[in-house]
């Protein structure tokens, strides 16, 4: 038997039975890490003694931008502002559906100035910016799956903002409590893969949240601690291609088995601020 004959049958069961996945063109906004530093610590990943290599951060960020462009997606650029080092985490800028842009209201004063910066960009880009009364950290905690919004709370976004978001968007919002400070935003513990498929790290959620997730998503992928602890769930999917932290190799195998196409990228500099692929990407939902 030749090597290829040996390899082929073994590979077949991997994707057998998993649905064919199809990509749809997406629109994203990103903010370059020109002023990115770790000068304060507002999550357990941040260590103010760690030195950021700005040139490397820019390079890694630009690789991510090019991956999206090569997949055929549109990437809009938000101008970064001096003095707002976390602005690179564009996902936190808001939650956009149609022409409505819910502007973030940040939990920490160090990031408060980003709200105006993102609101100005949204208005200039033709969106209708709407503010909430309670703290919401945009797509860090608000993830659209089909026509429902999964909404995290416990560390950043105030649960009361969930009702505001339901009222503003007219979408159903499911509240999920996060319980582990390492997974302080929903997008660090849960990934949306397509309109009905998610992956998540169960240990990051309260018992009630886990119950809600298993009721809603029967075929959810559960990831290991090893993958969760490299922010492996902080991914961006177009329904088929899943752009993800390269270090989450176990999750990449799970994705492949489920018929997705994992594309690993290295954002080691941005991990120093507690963020990765998804954090750097604000999706403009149609
Ligand atoms: N340093 C930022 C913070 O703590 C990281 C934000 C990461 N963004 C995200 N969408 N999870 O707020």
């Amino acid at each position: 038997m030749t090597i290829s004959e040996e390899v082929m049958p073994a590979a077949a069961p991997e994707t057998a039975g998993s649905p064919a996945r199809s990509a749809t063109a997406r629109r994203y906004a990103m903010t370059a890490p020109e002023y990115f530093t770790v000068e304060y610590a507002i999550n357990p990943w941040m260590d103010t003694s760690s030195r950021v290599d700005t040139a490397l951060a820019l390079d890694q960020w630009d690789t991510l931008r090019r991956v999206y462009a090569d997949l055929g997606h549109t990437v809009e650029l938000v101008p970064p502002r001096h003095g707002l080092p976390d602005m690179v985490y564009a996902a936190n800028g808001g939650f956009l559906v149609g022409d409505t842009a819910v502007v973030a209201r940040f939990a920490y004063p160090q990031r408060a100035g980003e709200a105006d910066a993102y609101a100005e960009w949204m208005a200039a880009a033709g969106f209708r910016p709407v503010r909430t009364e309670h703290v919401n950290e945009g797509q860090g905690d608000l993830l659209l799956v089909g026509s429902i919004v999964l909404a995290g709370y416990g560390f950043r976004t105030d649960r009361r903002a969930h009702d505001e978001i339901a009222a503003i968007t007219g979408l159903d919002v499911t509240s999920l409590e996060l319980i582990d400070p390492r997974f302080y935003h929903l997008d660090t513990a849960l990934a949306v893969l397509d309109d009905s498929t998610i992956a998540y790290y169960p240990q990051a959620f309260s018992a009630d949240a886990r119950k809600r997730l298993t009721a809603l998503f029967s075929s959810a992928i559960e990831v290991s601690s090893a993958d969760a602890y490299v922010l492996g769930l902080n991914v961006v999917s177009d329904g088929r291609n899943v752009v993800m932290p390269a270090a989450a190799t176990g999750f990449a195998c799970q994705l492949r088995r489920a018929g997705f196409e994992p594309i690993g990228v290295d954002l080691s500099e941005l991990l120093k601020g507690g963020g990765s692929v998804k954090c750097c990407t604000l999706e403009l939902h149609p």
Side-chain angles (χ1 to χ4, degrees):
M1 195 189 264
T2 66
I3 288 169
S4 63
E5 277 170 304
E6 258 170 24
V7 168
M8 298 263 292
E14 283 239 314
T15 46
S18 62
R21 306 289 180 180
S22 55
T24 52
R26 308 286 171 131
R27 212 173 141 206
Y28 304 125
M30 296 177 69
T31 311
E34 226 166 287
Y35 306 110
F36 173 62
T37 55
V38 185
E39 57 195 53
Y40 50 80
I42 56 172
N43 71 55
W45 302 80
M46 300 174 88
D47 172 356
T48 52
S49 67
S50 62
R51 204 189 58 85
V52 170
D53 180 339
T54 308
L56 181 56
L58 280 163
D59 208 60
Q60 293 177 337
W61 175 89
D62 199 55
T63 301
L64 176 63
R65 186 193 60 76
R66 273 188 285 112
V67 167
Y68 293 141
D70 290 347
L71 288 170
H73 304 311
T74 305
V75 181
E76 319 230 346
L77 299 179
V78 181
R81 289 198 187 169
H82 181 76
L84 296 175
D86 273 340
M87 209 180 152
V88 62
Y89 304 112
N92 298 125
F95 179 76
L96 294 86
V97 205
D99 68 350
T100 301
V102 180
V103 181
R105 181 176 295 284
F106 286 89
Y108 290 100
Q110 293 96 327
R111 296 197 69 183
E114 293 180 43
D116 285 344
Y118 278 102
E120 279 168 36
W121 173 79
M122 288 162 183
F127 295 94
R128 190 175 57 90
V130 186
R131 305 274 184 158
T132 59
E133 190 185 323
H134 301 287
V135 167
N136 90 79
E137 295 206 348
Q139 287 176 9
D141 277 321
L142 305 164
L143 296 173
L144 187 68
V145 195
S147 58
I148 68 164
V149 180
L150 298 181
Y153 71 97
F155 297 101
R156 301 290 182 88
T157 297
D158 189 314
R159 196 178 177 166
R160 290 168 294 179
H162 297 181
D163 294 334
E164 295 184 77
I165 279 134
I168 294 165
T169 63
L171 296 166
D172 275 342
V173 176
T174 295
S175 298
L176 302 169
E177 187 183 9
L178 295 162
I179 56 166
D180 179 338
R182 281 239 137 195
F183 304 97
Y184 57 95
H185 273 145
L186 183 64
D187 71 356
T188 62
L190 186 147
V192 177
L193 301 173
D194 66 22
D195 285 352
S196 57
T197 314
I198 62 154
Y200 71 115
Y201 178 53
Q203 291 91 315
F205 294 90
S206 69
D208 176 66
R210 287 196 211 188
K211 227 180 280 160
R212 287 175 191 228
L213 288 171
T214 41
L216 282 169
F217 305 99
S218 52
S219 57
I221 297 175
E222 297 189 6
V223 308
S224 69
S225 301
D227 290 324
Y229 275 78
V230 291
L231 280 189
L233 282 161
N234 200 244
V235 311
V236 171
S237 173
D238 63 12
R240 174 180 168 80
N241 304 291
V242 182
V243 186
M244 62 181 298
T249 51
F251 182 35
C253 289
Q254 289 176 294
L255 286 168
R256 224 172 266 120
R257 273 199 297 276
F260 293 98
E261 194 62 57
I263 301 173
V265 293
D266 178 10
L267 291 182
S268 58
E269 286 307 297
L270 295 154
L271 193 60
K272 294 176 180 173
S276 190
V277 175
K278 172 57 198 169
C279 299
C280 294
T281 315
L282 178 66
E283 182 160 359
L284 316 176
H285 295 290

